[in-house]
Amino acid sequence: MRIVVLGVGNILLSDEGIGVRTVEKLARDYILPAEVELIDGGTSAMEMLEDLGHADHLIIVDAVRSGKPPATIVRMAGDEVPVFFRTKLSPHQVGLSDVLATLVLMGEQPGTTTVIGIEPESLALGMELTPAVARQLPQVVGLVKSELNQLGMNLTARH
Amino acid sequence: MGKRITIDPITRIEGHLRIDCEVDGGKVTKAWASGQMWRGVEKILLGHDARDAWTITQRICGVCTTVHAIASVRAVENALNMEIPLNAQYIRNLIITAHAIHDHIVHFYHLSALDWVDVTSALKGDPAKTAQLAESLSTWKGNSIHEFEQVKTRLGAFVGTGQLGIFTNGYWGHPAMKLSPEVNLLATAHYLQALDIQRKANKIVTVLGSKTPHIQNLAVGGVANPIALDSQSVLTVERLMAIKGWIDELADFVKNVYLVDVSAIGAFYSDWTKYGAGITDYLSVPDLPLDTKGTQFALPGGYIKGGDLASHHAIKAFGDPYFRDGVEESVKHSWYKGGKGALHPYKGETDPEYTDFEDNGKYSWVKSPTFYSRPAQVGPLARVLNMVAADHAPTKKYLQTVLDTVGSLAKTTIPVSALHSTIGRHAARAVSCAVQVDELDHQWSLLMANIAKGDTATFNKPVFPKGEVSGVGFHEAPRGVLSHWVVIKDGKIKNYQAVVPTTWNAAPRNESDTPGPYEAALLNNPVADPEKPLEVLRTVHSFDPCLACAVHVLDPESNEVVTVKVL
């Protein structure tokens, strides 16, 4: 079993970096089972083929435009995910959807794909999350953790 | 006045480049290149510790993370006049060369080949005839009838799902698509094989850089890879041997597939040697330092004026005053506060002032760089021409191989001057990639030999003086000259400017209203159907645009991938 938690986003654009900040916090706060791999994907694309290929489960954390109030958290899984990519809610949609489409072409697509999305409040230049989105960070981490729990993975808190 | 075409955005990857053309009588008569997003990342760096600049700058772009990291540490090291241990130079050289090979393969096969190759036509290709053609060109193991049959089946199934995915934006069946179904099948098979092979290049970056896409092993003063041949946790013989294996696989593909495909496609599209020259002043920088001071390089660089190779002026060392003093940037046609004329990057300012798209005024977020007041083309073509002018034997050898193959397929003689063109840029990129794959092997041997001598040093500690110092770091990145310019005061960043390859090539008109390389290259470009301006995309894509770092990566509002607007 191989599970990939992929945080995407540009940490130079405040809330755009929420996916990466989530992965960083997970790595800081928990000891992960060997089956779980955390990836800070930044805004890259083809470089991730190797890491995403043949994953049993892929959990993507990203800033998304869902039309909901800032800092709203949305979860999409299964059939909802292709729709999410076709309607281009995320600024990285082109890169990431290309990677996923390429994996399909190569027959290496993940068994399941789940997206945890957070509506950004600001995409202004800056390395900090806005307070509203920063307050949601523990909840986003908690959501990823419960996704992993449902897949039978138990995380141990670091103290 | 002719028709006005607006293409926005034009890249297949992130970044937002808008191209406007006036088309009259089936040809482009006027062109504008515009970056549609504000970058301003330099501002984030102000006040940060100069040792951390590289970790921040490698986030500018998702495609070329390592190149910004390298240019950034070199800028700070130049400011401190540092020497870098040989092992660190070799390890960095391996990383940047592997990255470049990765980038060139992905650019050709996955981001631009589809301007020339019709994937839907490949479904009609005869596997036996394709294999016959392939075997006449190369000994590559992946050219069997069986392989081509499999590719047809896979492709058919993929197209059958209705989700074209990566193939969505192709102009299938366009009259300017001229390859036979067999050549299309051949190229599509190699497209798929290239997906696999590019991973090997990425693995080299991962093992040496500790991680991709963001490498973690750099440091101002060297690298953080401890070398110990008897330990499991560091750079061991086992890991170095694995790297050697990937290098050999890459070399096989680059020389027996990539170089051959570019030649074959070039021969079928030899009319494209007449279009897309544009600016024929070519700038490249030397790279792959072979000494601790950065005065000897494996790959030479320099400047060529007016397409005349005899005018080559070498750039010789890190911080070479000829390069350092020649670069300026104008914002006369860019959305920044100006009025001070073109500024040297140490004095560069990045204060936004948005107007609207003004044909004769400001129309881009990209600044307009010049080299001694003239626009310059950068990238693999500039690199290859400067290396040929510097009498670099491997470059001359691979260039001749390509020219001979194209010549024999097109049954004519192809001169070096054919490179000043849209298709010439693709040929030059393949030549550059072949040179780099040999150099990857060479740098690996240098590293092994140096370690065998007992040298395990990888890092010299930087010491920041009180007061102000400044430095430039340059890197011959896949897309061309990348330079980072830093002013440091008491160890903290006081000013920072990155002049990236796409800034050179996608530059708007400059201080004296001279068009930039894209704009100039588009003039007289044919356009068969203004609603489907494939020919415009061919010329712009041949530069390998990456607006992600020339400007910013952000387009939350637009739901469209490509908008073509004909006025």
Side-chain angles (χ1 to χ4, degrees):
Chain A
M1 173 105 103
R2 225 181 114 237
I3 301 169
V4 174
V5 180
L6 172 68
V8 286
N10 192 331
I11 57 165
L12 305 181
L13 299 173
S14 48
D15 291 343
E16 244 274 304
I18 179 72
V20 175
R21 299 305 184 199
T22 303
V23 164
E24 285 174 352
K25 189 168 167 57
L26 272 164
R28 210 165 43 234
D29 295 353
Y30 296 98
I31 298 162
L32 296 143
E35 293 91 338
V36 180
E37 194 178 343
L38 295 179
I39 298 176
D40 160 8
T43 54
S44 67
M46 299 301 259
E47 287 81 356
M48 294 191 292
L49 275 182
E50 183 73 17
D51 288 325
L52 303 189
H54 295 300
D56 294 288
H57 302 282
L58 172 62
I59 300 166
I60 299 168
V61 189
D62 194 4
V64 303
R65 286 276 180 190
S66 56
K68 299 207 170 75
T72 304
I73 300 171
V74 292
R75 176 188 183 275
M76 282 163 279
D79 292 344
E80 297 161 317
V81 175
V83 176
F84 156 78
F85 283 115
R86 265 202 297 272
T87 50
K88 198 179 181 193
L89 298 170
S90 152
H92 326 113
Q93 183 257 353
V94 179
L96 189 55
S97 69
D98 278 354
V99 174
L100 293 177
T102 303
L103 288 171
V104 173
L105 182 65
M106 299 177 83
E108 297 184 17
Q109 66 271 35
T112 69
T113 304
T114 308
V115 176
I116 308 286
I118 304 90
E119 179 75 34
E121 177 171 17
S122 167
L123 301 176
L125 214 55
M127 293 181 72
E128 304 289 322
L129 298 173
T130 58
V133 170
R135 272 196 298 276
Q136 294 283 59
L137 187 58
Q139 206 188 328
V140 175
V141 169
L143 270 173
V144 175
K145 193 169 161 257
S146 67
E147 294 286 338
L148 290 171
N149 290 154
Q150 279 170 32
L151 295 169
M153 296 294 125
N154 291 310
L155 282 59
T156 318
R158 292 181 198 270
H159 288 295
Chain B
M1 192 181 124
K3 266 178 188 292
R4 173 82 170 231
I5 309 177
T6 301
I7 308 175
D8 174 20
I10 201 161
T11 44
R12 280 207 171 84
I13 49 175
E14 293 176 82
H16 296 88
L17 169 65
R18 166 178 163 176
I19 295 286
D20 282 54
C21 294
E22 273 180 25
V23 178
D24 210 348
K27 284 191 166 183
V28 175
T29 52
K30 246 182 178 178
W32 295 261
S34 167
Q36 290 288 296
M37 291 294 150
W38 180 43
R39 180 159 55 99
V41 68
E42 288 96 342
K43 295 200 140 186
I44 284 191
L45 287 148
L46 305 185
H48 276 274
D49 190 311
R51 288 171 299 186
D52 298 335
W54 70 272
T55 62
I56 300 170
T57 59
Q58 77 167 331
R59 297 280 176 168
I60 297 176
C61 174
V63 181
C64 353
T65 53
T66 58
V67 306
H68 288 291
I70 291 280
S72 181
V73 290
R74 285 179 177 173
V76 178
E77 288 159 359
N78 180 249
L80 301 179
N81 202 14
M82 287 187 78
E83 289 192 40
I84 305 306
L86 278 179
N87 286 326
Q89 299 285 39
Y90 300 145
I91 289 171
R92 290 177 180 185
N93 290 349
L94 282 164
I95 290 174
I96 57 186
T97 306
H99 168 77
I101 292 165
H102 176 267
D103 198 88
H104 289 333
I105 293 173
V106 169
H107 175 260
F108 180 68
Y109 285 98
H110 308 121
L111 302 174
S112 68
L114 302 183
D115 293 346
W116 311 89
V117 174
D118 190 332
V119 174
T120 55
S121 152
L123 290 169
K124 299 181 205 119
D126 174 25
K129 280 190 202 162
T130 307
Q132 203 180 3
L133 168 75
E135 280 161 12
S136 74
L137 294 170
S138 155
T139 55
W140 170 245
K141 60 182 183 288
N143 280 342
S144 65
I145 298 179
H146 179 65
E147 177 76 22
F148 296 125
E149 277 168 351
Q150 276 197 330
V151 167
K152 263 183 84 167
T153 311
R154 261 169 85 186
L155 191 64
F158 190 70
V159 171
T161 63
Q163 281 200 325
L164 275 174
I166 36 184
F167 301 139
T168 307
N169 294 311
Y171 284 121
W172 313 129
H174 192 282
M177 290 286 193
K178 290 208 293 198
L179 300 180
S180 67
E182 282 71 32
V183 180
N184 282 318
L185 178 56
L186 177 71
T188 306
H190 294 165
Y191 175 110
L192 296 170
Q193 292 165 359
L195 282 173
D196 197 41
I197 205 79
Q198 55 98 21
R199 297 178 177 193
K200 317 282 178 184
N202 206 40
K203 278 185 177 180
I204 297 173
V205 180
T206 306
V207 169
L208 292 171
S210 305
K211 202 171 163 245
T212 61
H214 308 101
I215 57 172
Q216 299 189 329
N217 70 315
L218 280 190
V220 169
V223 294
N225 303 70
I227 294 172
L229 298 182
D230 52 357
S231 160
Q232 284 305 306
S233 62
V234 293
L235 201 52
T236 60
V237 170
E238 197 183 349
R239 288 186 188 190
L240 287 163
M241 291 316 292
I243 289 172
K244 172 66 176 154
W246 296 322
I247 292 174
D248 292 344
E249 286 185 70
L250 285 167
D252 188 15
F253 184 85
V254 170
K255 293 179 198 176
N256 295 316
V257 184
Y258 180 17
L259 213 54
V260 176
D261 285 350
V262 165
S263 304
I265 290 173
F268 285 100
Y269 286 106
S270 57
D271 51 328
W272 277 86
T273 59
K274 290 182 295 200
Y275 307 119
I279 303 289
T280 55
D281 292 353
Y282 296 101
L283 179 66
S284 71
V285 286
D287 214 320
L288 309 187
L290 300 171
D291 62 349
T292 57
K293 289 181 178 164
T295 60
Q296 303 289 322
F297 296 87
L299 303 178
Y303 178 65
I304 289 169
K305 208 169 177 176
D308 177 12
L309 267 56
S311 72
H312 169 76
H313 187 303
I315 294 168
K316 293 190 176 125
F318 283 149
D320 188 330
Y322 175 63
F323 177 80
R324 186 192 64 205
D325 300 339
V327 179
E328 284 180 330
E329 290 190 293
S330 159
V331 296
K332 185 175 170 188
H333 294 278
S334 315
W335 288 311
Y336 300 99
K337 287 184 189 137
K340 297 180 184 171
L343 295 178
H344 188 271
Y346 285 149
K347 297 186 172 146
E349 296 176 3
T350 311
D351 297 314
E353 183 184 65
Y354 185 73
T355 56
D356 204 343
F357 194 103
E358 301 173 334
D359 285 1
N360 298 310
K362 290 178 182 285
Y363 60 88
S364 179
W365 287 114
V366 177
K367 295 181 182 180
S368 186
T370 50
F371 195 60
Y372 293 99
S373 306
R374 293 163 65 99
Q377 180 180 154
V378 304
L381 179 55
R383 184 182 317 147
V384 163
L385 291 175
N386 272 296
M387 291 199 291
V388 168
D391 215 22
H392 186 250
T395 308
K396 289 167 80 177
K397 178 183 79 177
Y398 288 115
L399 177 58
Q400 200 54 51
T401 305
V402 168
L403 295 178
D404 289 349
T405 311
V406 177
S408 74
L409 284 168
K411 300 190 172 50
T412 176
T413 308
I414 308 289
V416 173
S417 61
L419 288 172
H420 305 294
S421 64
T422 294
I423 201 80
R425 270 185 285 275
H426 286 295
R429 189 171 290 109
V431 168
S432 171
C433 195
V435 171
Q436 284 161 312
V437 88
D438 280 351
E439 201 47 54
L440 193 59
D441 200 44
H442 179 221
Q443 295 294 327
W444 183 87
S445 302
L446 289 172
L447 175 64
M448 291 299 274
N450 196 55
I451 295 171
K453 275 195 283 185
D455 179 359
T456 55
T458 54
F459 177 68
N460 293 332
K461 196 174 186 309
V463 180
F464 289 87
K466 276 276 164 208
E468 199 170 294
V469 287
S470 56
V472 54
F474 61 60
H475 167 37
E476 182 64 20
R479 290 172 181 76
V481 180
L482 169 66
S483 54
H484 282 211
W485 307 73
V486 64
V487 180
I488 304 166
K489 192 177 178 192
D490 302 336
K492 301 271 190 283
I493 296 167
K494 190 184 163 197
N495 194 4
Y496 205 96
Q497 295 285 319
V499 185
V500 309
T502 301
T503 306
W504 286 96
N505 287 335
R509 287 153 177 72
N510 64 18
E511 209 64 20
S512 48
D513 305 322
T514 313
Y518 287 3
E519 297 177 332
L522 283 167
L523 297 181
N524 295 316
N525 208 99
V527 179
D529 177 359
E531 299 283 346
K532 293 178 181 167
L534 173 62
E535 301 92 334
V536 172
L537 293 176
R538 281 181 176 171
T539 292
V540 175
H541 284 163
S542 72
F543 285 93
D544 193 0
C546 187
L547 264 283
C549 66
V551 288
H552 226 301
V553 205
L554 176 64
D555 186 18
E557 306 304 333
S558 162
N559 286 324
E560 290 172 89
V561 177
V562 175
T563 315
V564 178
K565 193 169 72 184
V566 182
L567 299 173

